[in-house]
Amino acid sequence: MAANSVLADGVECYNMARISLGEGAIVSQRAFLCGGTHDYTRATNPLVTRPIEIGARAWVCAEAFVSPGCVVSEGCVVGARSVVSGVLEPWGVYAGNPAQKVKTRDFDPNK
């Protein structure tokens, strides 16, 4: 966790792989950061782990699910109860299941 990053009450960090939070990143109540899954194509269902990166000034809102290997890039907002995977564009606002980019985040660091 970098300076001024926050994990709110009830956040689950299932960190079988590295989970990193950039400076000023916020992860809100009851969000789930999931660093692992299973390879269901194999009879033994082996564990598969992938790191998660939450960028500087990103905000993962309440009860969102962040999938293994996801990069929530700098300044992104992940809406409440959204399910994200892959690499999100910097300063994008994402919502839904599966999460889709709904707009670009306007951000004024002086306010």
Side-chain angles (χ1 to χ4, degrees):
M1 292 180 67
N4 301 310
S5 61
V6 176
L7 293 174
D9 293 338
V11 171
E12 293 282 339
C13 288
Y14 196 42
N15 59 336
M16 296 173 292
R18 180 180 174 87
I19 296 176
S20 62
L21 277 71
E23 186 171 346
I26 301 167
V27 181
S28 290
Q29 298 83 354
R30 294 176 305 282
F32 196 105
L33 309 179
C34 185
T37 187
H38 295 272
D39 183 351
Y40 60 83
T41 67
R42 299 179 60 192
T44 58
N45 291 317
L47 180 65
V48 177
T49 62
R50 295 188 187 103
I52 292 173
E53 179 183 334
I54 310 296
R57 293 177 292 287
W59 179 17
V60 177
C61 296
E63 297 184 355
F65 181 87
V66 179
S67 302
C70 189
V71 176
V72 178
S73 297
E74 180 180 7
C76 276
V77 174
V78 174
R81 296 194 169 181
S82 294
V83 176
V84 295
S85 61
V87 178
L88 307 184
E89 294 177 23
W91 301 99
V93 177
Y94 291 80
N97 180 6
Q100 301 290 318
K101 184 177 179 185
V102 294
K103 63 181 177 178
T104 299
R105 179 183 182 187
D106 292 326
F107 181 80
D108 183 349
N110 298 316
K111 286 187 177 181

